[in-house]
Amino acid sequence: MTDTADFSDTRYNQLAEQLADAIRRGTLAPGSRLPSVRRSAQTWSVSINTVVAAYRRLEDRGFIEARPQSGFYVRAALPGLNPAPHVQPQTPAAEPADEVLDLIDKVFAAQIDPTYTNLSLACPQSNDFYPGGKLGRIMSSLLRRQPNLIGQYALPPGHPPLRQQIARRALTLGMILEPTDITITHGCMEALQLALRVTTKPGDSVGLETPTYFYLLPLLASLGLKAVEIPTDPQTGLSLDVLDMLLTEKRLNAVIAMPTAQNPLGFTMPLAAKKRLARMMNDHQVPLIEDGLYAEIQFGATLSPAVKSFDHDGWILFCTSFTKTLAPDFRIGWMEGGRFAAKLHKLKAVSSMAESALLSQTLTAFLESGGYDHHLRALRRRYASQVEQARALIAQHFPQGTRATQPSGGFVIWVDFPPGVNCVTLFRQLLEDKICMTPGQLYSPSGRYINGLRLSCCYVFDTRYISAMIRIGQRACEMCGLPPGLEVTGTDSFPDK
């Protein structure tokens, strides 16, 4: 969903967003016919060309479809996921299943093979998603002025001006941070690893959302930690009642969660739930490792604050990175460790020592210039649009009965197929077509979600991408014996203005 404020001020975009909002609210029901182009032009006192552009915009985003000799109609709504997946909170803590870890290895091998069409890797493969030219010019300028910079380290806890800029930016997510408490890391994964190492020991139990980011599973295994799956609602997030029970019974030594634009479900926890989560962790004095990797790619006009912003006693560690928003190859992440900050500074030194001084100063200059904010606004609009387009492809080509999330941010969609579609089998079949997607079993330590998969929308939506989406739908339809698309219901015409 994209706010009106996120669109440009052109009239056709304003009209398209008004109609999109009416569709979201149900004022325009699935299957209802929009007025003719000529009638709409008269109703809104705009040109025919403006209406045509607005309708095309809505069609591209998957809200409406053109029917020959009939006009434009609201697409049938793609069903959302059912409330909280059924997970027994009594599930004993356990190391991730070997078959899940083996499957992760197979997915990773396909992800890095350039001959595959990749709908799996959550990392854009096109330069136009990032301001590479601007970053390159800043870097060149720095090297001209400081030729010795390339031979320097940014020693832990990191380049001071960069930490100052990060503390300033953290205000947009409601966090008031001291630059001295921030540690620069080699991406978000190192931040998560350091956070686990400083808060747990081998044999400890860590609470996870389910489904959760799948690379957390081999990370836990490598540290000798056990996972406890906590039911997670696709709209509201982690079950706080179950979490409170587990904390009260002292069954958790730490929790990892992604409360904002979660990967893979895309939800953002309601504000009241975020406040309650922070209070619970502080009351029970158990560390919460908050993964904020997608927190700056929220689609709303106002950003939902981090859970860290409600942390009073330092039991919440916030981890994130610029790899999803700015420059993947920079591998610059950061974390604020709360009461563990001093230990994290030392642990970073013995873990991977320094980061690049050149990359750190390049990023600092870009943040200081204001270029990052401008880039983020464009990136949010693009991902919001591409998520809508991907949902439209799912609605058109995947089997009837398919359900999908409506992300509030980020660029991944979770899909639940109807019974009969085994996504591990589907994954293996698609490898024959040189297509890579991630089956749902990867996102659960115990291998749940046999009917689920995650799709990434962070690629150029060209013929290759669209053909791959169509092929996934074809394979799934063959597997379950159901036709593609959604049944169109309702015949209401467009209401008078």
Side-chain angles (χ1 to χ4, degrees):
M1 186 172 70
T2 308
D3 260 277
T4 306
D6 284 333
F7 281 83
S8 68
D9 292 331
T10 55
R11 187 68 186 96
Y12 83 88
N13 269 328
Q14 293 175 359
L15 177 56
E17 184 57 21
Q18 287 175 329
L19 293 171
D21 187 57
I23 293 169
R24 296 188 195 103
R25 289 186 285 104
T27 306
L28 290 175
S32 62
R33 183 172 60 84
L34 273 68
S36 68
V37 171
R38 186 176 299 278
R39 180 185 166 192
S40 290
Q42 294 171 348
T43 301
W44 277 285
S45 300
V46 295
S47 70
I48 288 176
N49 287 340
T50 296
V51 177
V52 170
Y55 281 13
R56 285 176 177 169
R57 174 73 170 164
L58 290 170
E59 192 174 17
D60 288 343
R61 296 173 63 201
F63 283 106
I64 66 175
E65 60 184 352
R67 299 183 189 173
Q69 309 302 317
S70 182
F72 290 91
Y73 289 79
V74 178
R75 281 186 180 273
L78 182 61
L81 264 62
N82 292 322
H86 298 291
V87 178
Q88 295 297 325
Q90 290 78 22
T91 298
E95 295 181 359
D98 289 341
E99 56 267 27
V100 173
L101 299 179
D102 291 342
L103 189 57
I104 289 173
D105 289 340
K106 290 183 174 65
V107 170
F108 185 71
Q111 284 180 340
I112 62 177
D113 189 331
T115 65
Y116 283 77
T117 301
N118 200 332
L119 284 74
S120 169
L121 187 64
C123 183
Q125 303 295 294
S126 175
N127 290 335
D128 63 348
F129 284 90
Y130 300 115
K134 293 179 181 178
L135 293 172
R137 288 190 291 273
I138 292 173
M139 189 179 298
S140 297
S141 176
L142 284 170
L143 285 173
R144 284 195 302 271
R145 290 182 284 112
Q146 304 177 60
N148 294 329
L149 189 58
I150 200 167
Q152 297 178 14
Y153 286 138
L155 295 171
H159 185 51
L162 176 56
R163 289 187 289 142
Q164 181 68 49
Q165 285 297 313
I166 287 171
R168 183 186 65 81
R169 286 211 56 80
L171 292 171
T172 63
L173 293 174
M175 296 181 287
I176 301 176
L177 307 181
E178 292 293 332
T180 53
D181 290 335
I182 292 170
T183 302
I184 304 300
T185 64
H186 197 66
C188 190
M189 278 301 291
E190 186 189 35
L192 294 171
Q193 181 191 87
L194 293 175
L196 284 169
R197 289 173 62 188
V198 82
T199 58
T200 64
K201 61 184 183 302
D204 280 353
S205 297
V206 178
L208 297 177
E209 297 158 324
T210 183
T212 190
Y213 172 53
F214 65 82
Y215 273 124
L216 290 179
L217 307 185
L219 175 57
L220 291 182
S222 71
L223 296 174
L225 300 172
K226 298 178 180 180
V228 177
E229 298 184 72
I230 302 173
T232 303
D233 187 272
Q235 282 83 43
T236 59
L238 204 64
S239 171
L240 298 184
D241 290 338
V242 172
L243 176 60
D244 192 34
M245 178 193 72
L246 293 170
L247 292 172
T248 300
E249 295 176 358
K250 301 188 182 303
R251 292 170 57 187
L252 299 177
N253 302 100
V255 176
I256 299 181
M258 188 179 278
T260 306
Q262 193 252 14
N263 175 12
L265 296 177
F267 65 79
T268 292
M269 291 181 75
L271 187 61
K274 287 185 172 183
K275 291 180 178 179
R276 183 186 171 194
L277 176 57
R279 186 170 60 253
M280 286 169 51
M281 305 311 295
N282 279 275
D283 287 348
H284 288 282
Q285 298 186 355
V286 173
L288 169 66
I289 300 169
E290 180 178 7
D291 185 344
L293 190 57
Y294 297 90
E296 290 194 297
I297 318 178
Q298 299 180 53
F299 298 154
T302 303
L303 300 185
S304 175
V307 176
K308 175 67 182 177
S309 65
F310 306 112
D311 180 25
H312 298 299
D313 297 322
W315 288 99
I316 300 176
L317 299 81
F318 187 85
C319 304
T320 189
S321 163
F322 293 95
T323 57
K324 302 297 183 185
T325 57
L326 190 59
D329 193 52
F330 274 31
R331 300 304 302 161
I332 293 181
W334 63 272
M335 62 191 305
E336 202 282 344
R339 61 178 50 239
F340 304 94
K343 292 182 179 178
L344 284 167
H345 292 345
K346 297 177 181 178
L347 189 58
K348 165 63 180 178
V350 299
S351 173
S352 59
M353 187 48 75
E355 296 301 322
S356 163
L358 175 59
L359 298 183
S360 296
Q361 291 196 35
T362 298
L363 179 54
T364 302
F366 189 69
L367 295 176
E368 289 174 342
S369 72
Y372 186 54
D373 289 303
H374 176 76
H375 164 68
L376 273 181
R377 286 192 291 270
L379 197 65
R380 290 168 184 150
R381 288 195 297 269
R382 179 165 188 175
Y383 284 143
S385 177
Q386 294 200 174
V387 164
E388 296 284 5
Q389 291 177 59
R391 282 172 49 83
L393 290 169
I394 292 168
Q396 184 177 358
H397 299 288
F398 285 26
Q400 290 184 8
T402 298
R403 296 177 176 272
T405 52
Q406 175 68 74
S408 65
F411 44 72
V412 297
I413 297 176
W414 181 270
V415 177
D416 268 352
F417 283 114
V421 180
N422 181 310
C423 284
V424 174
T425 302
L426 180 62
F427 163 73
R428 293 186 175 121
Q429 289 180 354
L430 289 167
L431 291 182
E432 299 173 5
D433 300 322
K434 293 291 184 178
I435 296 170
C436 180
M437 62 78 167
T438 34
Q441 280 188 299
L442 270 69
Y443 298 88
S444 163
S446 57
R448 303 174 189 269
Y449 312 113
I450 194 69
N451 301 113
L453 67 83
R454 188 197 74 175
L455 296 172
S456 294
C457 308
C458 57
Y459 304 101
V460 176
F461 274 38
D462 54 14
T463 302
R464 184 179 181 185
Y465 183 94
I466 294 171
S467 296
M469 288 283 284
I470 293 172
R471 185 56 177 155
I472 292 175
Q474 290 172 341
R475 288 279 197 181
C477 288
E478 292 167 1
M479 193 176 294
C480 65
L482 293 172
L486 301 170
E487 293 184 9
V488 178
T489 59
T491 56
D492 297 337
S493 61
F494 189 86
D496 292 334
K497 185 180 177 185

